[in-house]
Amino acid sequence: MNTILKKKPLKLLLFCFIVLFIPKIKAQNENSLLQDSIIRMDTNDKVVWDMSFSLKTMNVFRGLLPSKAPVFSTLAGVKYGEFVLGFYGGASFNGGYSETDLILMYYKPKYNIRLDWYYNYTQGITNIPTPSGFFDLNPEITRGILDFMVNVQLTKHLDLTSSTFIFGRDRPSLAEDDANDILLRRGEQRYSQYINLQYTWKLKNTKIQAHAGYSFSWNDIGGPSFYGNKPGFNDLGVSFYKTIIDTKNISIPFKASIYVNPLSNDVYLVGSILLLDLIKV
């Protein structure tokens, strides 16, 4: 530790400054293991690992708002050959939101296939009041959701993502329980589907991404899904990335995003500071 302090005092000072003071200035869950480049896919090394730390003004997920309070999150991943294992952890400053995710991915330059296990500890996030454990796979009580995703790079600028909730708490409460205000049992799996089309522009030190997300339920095509009470566009948005610090050892981009959810008539403006490649400091 003393050696590191002697060799790189300015980088450590910069890191401490950002962690301690950025929250006061204000600084979404996206699990963007590849998009925000914490796993460098252009390396020739067989095994690559890295991690990142983010500060966000709020947590927006596909047009939904898991946390309206500022959030700090950590993302870590290891790549072995074409396989990636990652973890996400996030919590709000006020303690109202807490989430841990497990990420498994098969990566190719033109496409990737992944499974994410989202586990949200937040009070009131489901009709089951008490968390039953990260590895509880009983769909009647678990707070977890298993998300099967496929991302395809259609062109240099255009990406298509498909997400299907195939297991977990994507189940509505039963109608008879709603009528009696019980809300402790769940109905059938909705298999909520989310399709996102994203276009990316890259400039010198800036990246712009525009996306449109549409959702529906495979169990009831015209009925409610996890994202809303009917099928429709639930996630329209534009994000701007600008690197504010970029050196050989550390990269700090700022991200500003606006999200519109026509299904719920909500609009969110989110700012994020992403601290990347901290293991090199």
Side-chain angles (χ1 to χ4, degrees), residues 144-276:
I145 298 178
L146 186 60
D147 189 358
F148 173 71
M149 286 179 281
V150 178
N151 176 266
V152 180
Q153 185 177 348
L154 302 176
T155 69
K156 182 179 179 181
H157 301 283
L158 192 63
D159 290 86
L160 176 66
T161 299
S162 169
S163 162
T164 310
F165 289 160
I166 58 177
F167 180 83
R169 67 176 175 88
D170 181 26
R171 295 165 173 254
S173 56
L174 297 177
E176 56 266 36
D177 285 2
D178 291 339
N180 294 298
D181 199 27
I182 300 174
L183 307 180
L184 289 178
R185 295 184 297 167
R186 292 173 173 171
E188 296 181 348
Q189 192 81 35
R190 288 181 290 203
Y191 299 102
S192 294
Q193 176 69 43
Y194 171 81
I195 300 174
N196 181 289
L197 198 61
Q198 179 173 269
Y199 193 89
T200 302
W201 297 267
K202 290 185 179 180
L203 305 176
K204 185 177 181 181
N205 291 316
T206 305
K207 181 170 68 174
I208 304 172
Q209 291 180 327
H211 70 271
Y214 186 91
S215 61
F216 62 91
S217 165
W218 285 110
N219 189 48
D220 182 3
I221 298 296
S225 72
F226 182 86
Y227 304 99
N229 57 10
K230 62 180 180 180
F233 286 98
N234 60 291
D235 183 17
L236 306 176
V238 180
S239 296
F240 301 87
Y241 295 77
K242 187 172 182 62
T243 302
I244 55 179
I245 295 176
D246 189 12
T247 69
K248 182 179 179 180
N249 295 299
I250 189 167
S251 175
I252 303 178
F254 173 75
K255 178 182 178 182
S257 306
I258 185 167
Y259 301 96
V260 180
N261 186 339
L263 288 182
S264 61
N265 292 319
D266 289 319
V267 179
Y268 306 109
L269 180 62
V270 180
S272 305
I273 291 287
L274 308 174
L275 307 184
L276 306 183

Side-chain angles (χ1 to χ4, degrees), residues 29-39 49-54 56 72-78 85-90 101-103 114 116 274-279:
N29 161 32
E30 293 188 353
N31 289 350
S32 46
L33 201 61
L34 304 181
Q35 177 178 304
D36 293 327
S37 303
I38 76 158
I39 295 293
W49 72 279
D50 218 334
M51 56 189 176
S52 70
F53 180 75
S54 301
K56 317 167 188 181
F72 55 88
S73 64
T74 302
L75 189 61
V78 57
L85 172 65
F87 298 90
Y88 166 90
D101 302 338
L102 173 64
I103 305 162
R114 62 189 279 180
D116 283 30
L274 308 174
L275 307 184
L276 306 183
D277 297 337
L278 298 186
I279 59 172

